[in-house]
Amino acid sequence: MGIAALTAAARAGDRRAVARLLTAVENHTEDAPAIAAAVAGGDAIVVGVTGSPGVGKSTLVSSLIGAWRKAGLRVAVLAIDPSSPFSGGAILGDRVRMADHALDDGVYIRSVATRGHLGGLTATTGGAVRLLEGLGFDAVIVETVGVGQAEVEIAGLADTTLLLLAPGMGDAIQAVKAGVVEIADVYVVNKADRPGADATVRDLRAMMSLVKREPGEWRQPICKTVAQDGEGIDELVDAIAGHRDWLSGADHLAAKRRDRAAAEIRALVDAELRRRYAVTEALAADVAEGRTDVAAAARRVLDDTPETASTPSRRPTYT
Ligand SMILES: Nc1nc2c(ncn2[C@@H]2O[C@H](COP(=O)(O)OP(=O)(O)OP(=O)(O)O)[C@@H](O)[C@H]2O)c(=O)[nH]1
Ligand SMILES: [Mg+2]
């Protein structure tokens, strides 16, 4: 099937066509530029959902899907699997949690393994998000478990980033320490049916009161939710829409998307440079054992004639 036929099928709701296009885009195949051009110009709400393992992300995503489906929106979800030992159960859990929507033609859910992909999460997921937008999805949700770098990267990919916290886990404090709070556009205190939810909201408010804001800057709302029975979801939907309006009104949306594209390009360039300018084990040993210094070694790497993109490096590499 050609690209035009595939995109037409995907727009008409054919999941296998969507999957094939996504695979091509994620792998940066030679069809990828033509696919990107064929679907250019989508306009979806792109929402990142992050937070500690088990805080309720997938359950909340499922509720969000429900709310947006009721409003007639087509919804796509990319569940990022960083393939790290910390998130072993994430994908299976996602399948169970979002099973309600498995048979709905207006919903597309995909797990994305980012390990081993050129350019990592940023370069893999950015194109996938644009593809889904271009195929006519009105909302694209990217769920990523808040471990390590992924949650910072996700904020770069989404228009609106939700940070989920749960009461009684010292989560708010942890998030402050990790600097994660700064990436969020909307805070969600999930599991509000558990004791301590109000204390977590208070912690967040106290923390926010310390941050100086310029007039016109976005003030992160704090939503309380019970994800599995849908409590607080309408307010969350409103908060997301509010942030979207703020972005569009102040013309931040286009800038944000350009920044995102720049980050994607940079990720791929970095990956390509690392591949071309391979650091050999022998050179690393020279530095480690004091036979030369780092700057001289770096110059030696850069002065080596770069190999062409199509010839894979055969030298042993040490990264
Ligand atoms: N009491 C309570 N339990 C919840 C709530 N939301 C989710 N849970 C439960 O918390 C557990 C974890 O939920 P998930 O949605 O899988 O959490 P997650 O953040 O996606 O987890 P990972 O993807 O593994 O990081 C499940 O047993 C849910 O049923 C809530 O609002 N209240
Ligand atoms: Mg999950």
Side-chain angles (χ1 to χ4, degrees):
M1 223 193 281
I3 289 169
L6 266 180
T7 53
R11 284 205 171 94
D14 178 342
R15 288 163 202 270
R16 288 186 51 201
V18 178
R20 282 181 60 185
L21 291 166
L22 275 170
T23 301
V25 167
E26 286 165 2
N27 292 310
H28 312 292
T29 65
E30 57 188 30
D31 284 340
I35 294 170
V39 301
D43 183 28
I45 305 170
V46 183
V47 176
V49 178
T50 191
S52 308
V55 74
K57 297 179 292 297
S58 300
T59 312
L60 186 92
V61 166
S62 188
S63 293
L64 269 178
I65 296 173
W68 276 328
R69 287 301 291 146
K70 258 193 220 146
L73 273 59
R74 287 180 71 207
V75 186
V77 179
L78 297 173
I80 307 297
D81 172 15
S83 311
S84 83
F86 301 109
S87 63
I91 297 308
L92 184 63
D94 290 342
R95 294 244 171 83
V96 176
R97 234 78 74 199
M98 299 183 203
D100 291 355
H101 305 287
L103 297 175
D104 180 346
D105 273 345
V107 179
Y108 182 83
I109 298 171
R110 175 165 170 115
S111 303
V112 185
T114 55
R115 189 158 74 178
H117 273 271
L118 194 64
L121 185 153
T122 299
T124 308
T125 312
V129 168
R130 275 192 299 277
L131 173 70
L132 291 165
E133 282 196 281
L135 290 175
F137 287 96
D138 305 293
V140 179
I141 304 174
V142 186
E143 175 190 338
T144 176
V145 63
V147 177
Q149 180 62 16
E151 58 197 336
V152 178
E153 282 191 58
I154 209 61
L157 287 171
D159 298 331
T160 301
T161 301
L162 314 184
L163 176 64
L164 264 68
L165 305 164
M169 288 167 58
D171 240 17
I173 312 292
Q174 288 303 323
V176 174
K177 280 195 190 145
V180 182
V181 286
E182 287 148 42
I183 61 160
D185 301 303
V186 177
Y187 298 112
V188 181
V189 177
N190 187 43
K191 307 198 182 183
D193 52 326
R194 298 233 177 125
D198 290 324
T200 303
V201 171
R202 270 200 308 277
D203 286 351
L204 276 171
R205 287 237 167 80
M207 178 205 80
M208 284 172 63
S209 69
L210 301 175
V211 180
K212 273 223 172 80
R213 281 200 183 68
E214 304 295 323
E217 245 185 281
W218 175 248
R219 293 190 68 85
Q220 294 94 333
I222 303 171
C223 296
K224 277 203 300 186
T225 57
V226 182
Q228 86 267 44
D229 59 19
E231 216 180 293
I233 297 299
D234 289 344
E235 290 79 2
L236 177 59
V237 165
D238 288 346
I240 294 169
H243 185 245
R244 170 81 177 187
D245 288 346
W246 177 83
L247 279 175
S248 315
D251 209 28
H252 294 308
L253 194 57
K256 205 162 181 167
R257 288 181 174 220
R258 277 195 303 274
D259 289 350
R260 180 199 299 174
E264 289 169 47
I265 298 166
R266 240 177 263 123
L268 271 187
V269 170
D270 284 352
E272 181 59 26
L273 286 179
R274 277 169 188 275
R275 208 186 61 71
R276 284 198 202 182
Y277 294 92
V279 176
T280 63
E281 207 166 336
L283 190 58
D286 282 348
V287 173
E289 289 154 28
R291 284 185 290 278
T292 186
D293 85 313
V294 176
R299 267 196 303 279
R300 231 154 82 195
V301 171
L302 291 170
D303 289 344
D304 269 0
T305 312
E307 293 158 87
T308 60
S310 55
T311 30
S313 171
R314 292 196 187 285
R315 282 176 293 174
T317 60
Y318 185 74
T319 47

